[in-house]
Structures are given as structure tokens and as C-alpha cells.
């Protein structure tokens, strides 16, 4: 099983034998020079990495965790976001790879590579022009389904959680969905949302802003992300904070399709299974 450690600038991929046991030895390999890497694994077990360098989106992969491909240019996107937790995202669909990337003007584009095809030209995901100016987004895929989420600004102030579904591995995208609007007028302004999908089940995690608290919430869709239920707070405690921590957390689904989350509150990192109390992991951030 692979255990990955990604450093944001001159980054490397670290491999160990078992991600769930105590790490005894990690061999670090310099893969490339770039910023804000994101990783995924495909059905064949290859690990793919996408990252930004200037206005360029680049892709490398490995089949064995020891040797890596040369960097491949996906696209040149003027004003590419690839700093401060804002970077290209990658997911593996059953028919190939999908990448999403946001620009400083506030638009999100997808690029796909199906089988032996070249990388496609960018397809814009957001319906509303320049809706994604925060540049904070995530991407997940399962089978032919893919789902993208982002923080959108449709008014002078106030961020909302938006999403869009693809049923062809990222080639085309459905009409955007406003997933969540906070009663306070905005969710946490600079914390990246997360998404994980399995079949028609779509889970989105985001940091909310309610009553002065900036806590993580999870919201679920049973119909592929067309409609979402009630957003539910993760963990028992709260973080009252006058400002955004710029720290969104991580979300994945276990073999049973149960959401597993990891996130920060104050100076502590927690793990939480949906519906259960949080478990303290240790001190940390980001």
C-alpha cells in the first residue's frame, strides 16, 4: 500500500510498505519541481501527480513508486492558481484521467485524457462567469462519474459551496448546483472544500461559519450531487475564531462507502467518522 508525502514546492513522493502501521522507513524521491501537487491512483495501481509551475499544468506518473515519467504538459492556463492550497486537482475515472484547475479571474476548467488520447482543451465548469475567484476546489471520480466542488462568490461578499457533475469522466459537465448557503451569509472564506463520491453517493466537506465558529460540516447527496440533504457538523467541539484559518481538511470514503475525515481545530488535528465523536491525532496544521 502506498503512503504519500507531498511537499508544496520542490516536492517528492515518499513510499512505505504500509500506510496504516507505524512508518519505519521512508525513501524520498525527487519527482519534479513545482507547486501544489495533487495525487490519485488509477485502476491499474499507477499513481498520478498533477501540479502547477507558473501558468503550466504538468503531470507525472509512476507504476512502481520508484521510477517516474518525465513531466508532461497538460495545458498552459493564463493566471493559473497554484499557491496557498489552490492548485490543480486530479482524479481517475474508469475511462481515463480528469484534471481541474482554476484561474485568478475566477473560472474553473477541466482537462481529460482518455486512454491513449492527448490531453483535451479546457472545458469551463462554472456556469456563472468568474464565480470561483477564491480558487479553492476539489475533484473526485468513480467509474464514469466525476464531481467538482468549489467556493463560489456570486455577490460582492459571501462564499457559497458549489458543485457540478460529469457522467462521462470529465468531458462534459452538468448545470452547476448551489450545494450550501450559510445562514451567516458566508461559509469560511478561504478554506478549501473536499468531495468524495461512490456511485450516486456524493459527500462534500467544508468549513462553515456559524455563530462565530469555524467548524467542518459534511453534506450528502444520494442522487449523484443533484440535490443535497442537511449539512451536519463534524465533531463535538467548536472553534470560535475571528478570521479564516485557511485549512480545509481531508475527506475519503472507506470500503463500505462511509466518510472518513481529518481536519484541524485550533492547534490539534482530528480524525472523525461521520456521526461519531472526533479522535485527537496530535498537534499540527494544514
Amino acid at each position: 500500500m502506498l503512503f504519500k508525502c507531498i511537499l508544496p514546492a520542490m516536492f517528492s513522493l515518499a513510499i512505505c510498505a504500509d500506510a496504516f502501521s507505524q512508518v519505519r522507513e521512508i525513501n524520498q524521491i525527487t519527482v519534479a519541481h513545482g507547486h501544489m501537487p495533487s495525487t490519485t491512483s488509477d485502476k491499474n495501481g499507477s499513481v498520478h501527480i498533477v501540479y502547477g509551475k507558473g501558468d503550466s499544468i504538468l503531470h507525472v506518473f509512476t507504476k512502481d513508486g520508484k521510477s517516474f515519467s518525465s513531466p508532461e504538459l497538460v495545458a498552459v492556463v493564463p493566471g493559473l492558481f497554484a499557491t496557498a492550497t489552490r492548485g490543480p486537482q486530479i482524479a481517475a475515472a474508469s475511462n481515463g484521467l480528469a484534471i481541474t484547475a482554476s484561474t485568478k479571474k475566477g473560472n474553473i476548467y477541466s482537462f481529460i485524457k482518455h486512454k491513449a488520447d492527448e490531453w483535451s482543451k479546457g472545458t469551463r465548469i462554472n456556469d456563472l462567469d468568474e464565480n470561483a475567484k477564491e480558487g479553492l476546489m476539489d475533484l473526485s471520480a468513480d467509474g464514469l462519474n466525476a464531481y467538482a466542488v468549489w467556493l463560489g462568490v456570486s455577490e460582492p461578499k459571501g462564499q457559497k459551496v458549489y458543485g457540478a457533475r460529469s457522467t462521462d469522466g470529465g468531458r462534459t459537465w452538468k448545470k452547476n448546483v448551489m450545494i450550501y448557503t450559510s445562514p451567516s451569509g458566508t461559509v469560511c472564506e478561504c478554506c478549501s472544500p473536499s468531495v468524495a463520491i461512490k456511485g450516486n453517493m456524493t459527500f462534500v466537506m467544508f468549513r462553515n461559519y456559524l455563530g462565530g465558529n469555524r467548524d467542518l460540516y459534511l453534506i450528502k447527496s444520494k442522487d449523484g450531487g443533484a440535490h443535497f440533504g442537511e449539512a451536519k457538523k463534524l465533531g463535538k467541539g467548536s472553534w470560535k475564531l475571528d478570521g479564516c484559518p485557511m485549512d480545509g481538511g481531508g475527506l475519503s470514503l472507506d470500503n463500505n462507502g462511509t466518510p472518513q475525515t481529518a481536519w484541524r481545530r485550533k492547534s490539534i488535528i482530528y480524525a472523525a467518522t461521520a456521526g461519531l465523536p472526533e479522535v485527537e491525532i496530535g498537534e499540527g496544521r494544514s
Side-chain angles (χ1 to χ4, degrees), residues 61 70 114 123 140 158 168 259-260:
F61 71 91
S70 298
H114 289 171
T123 299
S140 180
D168 54 12
Q260 305 292 335

Side-chain angles (χ1 to χ4, degrees), residues 34 125 140 179 239 247:
I125 298 177
S140 180
I179 296 173
W239 188 3
D247 209 337

Side-chain angles (χ1 to χ4, degrees), residues 26-278:
I26 294 180
N27 297 318
Q28 296 192 71
I29 305 166
T30 299
V31 177
H33 295 270
H35 299 273
M36 300 314 304
S38 173
T39 68
T40 192
S41 59
D42 62 25
K43 59 185 179 183
N44 297 317
S46 294
V47 175
H48 299 265
I49 305 173
V50 65
Y51 60 98
K53 187 175 183 180
D55 287 340
S56 297
I57 302 171
L58 296 159
H59 163 251
V60 297
F61 71 91
T62 177
K63 294 182 178 180
D64 58 10
K66 299 177 182 179
S67 59
F68 289 78
S69 66
S70 298
E72 175 187 30
L73 179 66
V74 176
V76 176
V77 180
L80 175 70
F81 252 132
T83 58
T85 74
R86 298 162 168 89
Q89 303 295 308
I90 188 169
S94 59
N95 58 351
L97 298 171
I99 288 173
T100 55
S102 59
T103 69
K104 295 174 183 178
K105 283 190 175 182
N107 295 313
I108 302 175
Y109 296 92
S110 68
F111 306 86
I112 60 169
K113 188 175 187 180
H114 289 171
K115 299 180 180 179
D117 295 345
E118 298 294 324
W119 287 101
S120 69
K121 294 182 179 180
T123 299
R124 201 176 89 172
I125 298 177
N126 53 299
D127 293 340
L128 298 175
D129 191 37
E130 300 183 357
N131 170 249
K133 289 186 177 180
E134 284 297 332
L136 295 164
M137 56 154 187
D138 195 22
L139 176 68
S140 180
D142 179 50
L144 288 175
N145 294 323
Y147 207 88
V149 295
W150 66 93
L151 292 191
V153 182
S154 56
E155 300 170 1
K157 291 184 179 180
Q159 276 81 331
K160 302 174 177 62
V161 183
Y162 285 83
R165 182 190 187 191
S166 171
T167 56
D168 54 12
R171 187 180 297 277
T172 59
W173 296 86
K174 307 292 186 183
K175 181 177 175 60
N176 294 177
V177 175
M178 187 183 292
I179 296 173
Y180 180 82
T181 301
S182 177
S184 70
T186 184
V187 296
C188 201
E189 300 91 337
C190 301
C191 290
S192 182
S194 301
V195 62
I197 67 173
K198 188 177 183 65
N200 280 326
M201 303 295 286
T202 305
F203 297 89
V204 176
M205 186 177 73
F206 60 94
R207 192 180 290 276
N208 209 346
Y209 178 48
L210 285 175
N213 294 317
R214 298 179 184 265
D215 301 318
L216 275 299
Y217 279 67
L218 189 69
I219 193 167
K220 171 182 168 182
S221 169
K222 297 180 181 180
D223 59 4
H227 305 88
F228 283 83
E230 178 186 359
K232 297 182 179 180
K233 179 178 171 296
L234 290 165
K236 301 299 183 182
S238 287
W239 188 3
K240 189 170 287 291
L241 181 66
D242 185 17
C244 178
M246 297 185 68
D247 209 337
L251 168 67
S252 65
L253 303 179
D254 64 19
N255 291 335
N256 296 320
T258 302
Q260 305 292 335
T261 70
W263 36 269
R264 170 191 173 202
R265 186 171 67 226
K266 297 182 180 179
S267 62
I268 303 297
I269 302 298
Y270 296 90
T273 301
L276 298 177
E278 66 270 44

